[in-house]
Amino acid sequence: MKISHAARQAGLPVKTVRYYADIGLVKPAGRSMSGYREYDEAGLAKLGFVRRAREFGFSIEECRELLSLYEDRDRASSDVRTIASAHLAEIEEKQRQLAALRDELAYLVKTCQGNDRPDCPILDRLG
Amino acid sequence: MKISHAARQAGLPVKTVRYYADIGLVKPAGRSMSGYREYDEAGLAKLGFVRRAREFGFSIEECRELLSLYEDRDRASSDVRTIASAHLAEIEEKQRQLAALRDELAYLVKTCQGNDRPDCPILDRLG
DNA sequence: CCTAATCTTTCCAGCAGGGGGAAGGTCAAG
DNA sequence: CTTGACCTTCCCCCTGCTGGAAAGATTAGG
């Protein structure tokens, strides 16, 4: 299977699949005689796996770890859970920051009358 | 006032202040005879303004717009409100995505027993 | 006055996570 | 045989900085 087919099946741009090959995240099964990357079913599954993990916000390095656990039929589920829990904690921290930010900004937007007068609590708050 | 003093006062790294000067966001008032950047009180205020706006998650380009409004004593508060509202909408969209992500990931982590057996709903979900 | 430490400058390189596009090789259909 | 759709490598671009090297400026101490 050539790269565009694999990319389409996995739901990823061709550029991204090539990038994942370059950084050694998901390597093609081999190369054709003319140098084309060749993907098999296993590679396809890994590409899809990475796409979904990325959609979950896992970083490339986290994907690398998850992928090695995914391929290791003898791994313990606690290893996976550790990575996922850490990521979950990061997400929740980000949520807290975002919520605080939103509240403060929403207050400013609400307070600002948004008319043609120069008085503006938003700028007052920033300046 | 030389760059390290201005940076310290504004609460920014020197590198960042230099970067802001390079991209024309906050230019120094002038240069000393030996080529050192010189900042005055107005520049200091702008650096602090940008730092706070960045903490609010405004992009550099948004900061550029806010800064020009900040300097324009005749601007309408609605102009500022427009930028801030757009940014607020972005934040809220990000919050929704993050919440959905968190819920799904939290469910998986909760479901995963995290023992030494290979069964793992997290990997099942990704693979 | 000399020296060493601490500024400052410029430029170069790089991080994540790719995107865009050029220059050139390949392959199947008509 | 030609056309068009692939594929390859290559390098630059993005955001928002951060680090480092090399070289000049200033300042404190002896």
Side-chain angles (χ1 to χ4, degrees):
Chain A
M1 193 190 314
K2 277 178 290 192
I3 198 168
S4 66
H5 189 195
R8 201 163 35 243
Q9 293 287 106
L12 287 170
V14 170
K15 278 275 191 186
T16 301
V17 176
R18 209 172 272 133
Y19 173 69
Y20 288 167
D22 287 350
I23 64 173
L25 181 60
V26 181
K27 291 183 190 158
R31 295 277 187 154
S32 76
M33 270 187 302
S34 49
Y36 288 12
R37 291 174 183 82
E38 285 289 346
Y39 289 87
D40 56 9
E41 286 302 319
L44 204 53
K46 287 188 226 170
L47 286 172
F49 179 93
V50 170
R51 179 181 59 77
R52 284 183 289 277
R54 293 284 300 141
E55 285 171 3
F56 268 97
F58 287 100
S59 71
I60 295 287
E61 285 315 302
E62 283 171 328
C63 287
R64 213 185 282 277
E65 295 177 56
L66 288 172
L67 209 46
S68 74
L69 294 172
Y70 170 67
E71 295 209 81
D72 177 9
R73 289 290 116 195
D74 293 332
R75 92 278 160 169
S77 69
S78 60
D79 293 341
V80 183
R81 200 182 134 106
T82 298
I83 297 176
S85 302
H87 183 52
L88 183 57
E90 283 173 23
I91 288 176
E92 289 174 344
E93 172 59 20
K94 189 112 189 171
Q95 274 193 311
R96 275 188 291 277
Q97 292 177 2
L98 220 49
L101 199 61
R102 193 213 80 95
D103 289 350
E104 199 163 358
L105 196 56
Y107 171 73
L108 292 180
V109 169
K110 187 165 67 67
T111 313
C112 176
Q113 305 205 352
N115 54 22
D116 55 4
R117 299 232 320 284
D119 315 289
C120 176
I122 300 172
L123 290 188
D124 291 349
R125 174 71 179 79
L126 292 176
Chain B
M1 192 189 317
K2 279 179 289 198
I3 198 167
S4 65
H5 188 196
R8 201 163 35 244
Q9 292 287 105
L12 287 170
V14 170
K15 278 275 191 184
T16 300
V17 175
R18 210 172 272 132
Y19 173 69
Y20 288 167
D22 287 350
I23 64 173
L25 182 60
V26 180
K27 290 183 190 157
R31 295 276 188 154
S32 77
M33 268 187 300
S34 50
Y36 288 11
R37 291 173 184 82
E38 285 289 346
Y39 289 87
D40 56 9
E41 286 302 318
L44 204 54
K46 287 188 224 170
L47 287 172
F49 179 93
V50 170
R51 178 180 60 75
R52 284 182 290 276
R54 293 285 300 140
E55 285 171 3
F56 269 97
F58 288 100
S59 71
I60 294 287
E61 284 316 301
E62 284 171 329
C63 288
R64 211 185 283 276
E65 295 179 56
L66 288 172
L67 208 48
S68 75
L69 294 172
Y70 169 68
E71 295 210 81
D72 177 10
R73 289 290 116 196
D74 292 332
R75 92 277 160 170
S77 70
S78 59
D79 294 340
V80 182
R81 200 182 136 106
T82 298
I83 297 176
S85 302
H87 184 51
L88 183 57
E90 283 172 24
I91 289 176
E92 289 175 343
E93 172 60 21
K94 190 113 188 171
Q95 274 192 309
R96 276 188 289 278
Q97 292 176 3
L98 221 49
L101 200 60
R102 194 213 79 96
D103 289 349
E104 199 165 358
L105 197 56
Y107 171 73
L108 293 180
V109 169
K110 187 165 66 67
T111 313
C112 176
Q113 305 206 352
N115 53 22
D116 53 4
R117 300 230 322 283
D119 314 290
C120 176
I122 300 173
L123 290 188
D124 291 347
R125 174 72 179 78
L126 291 175

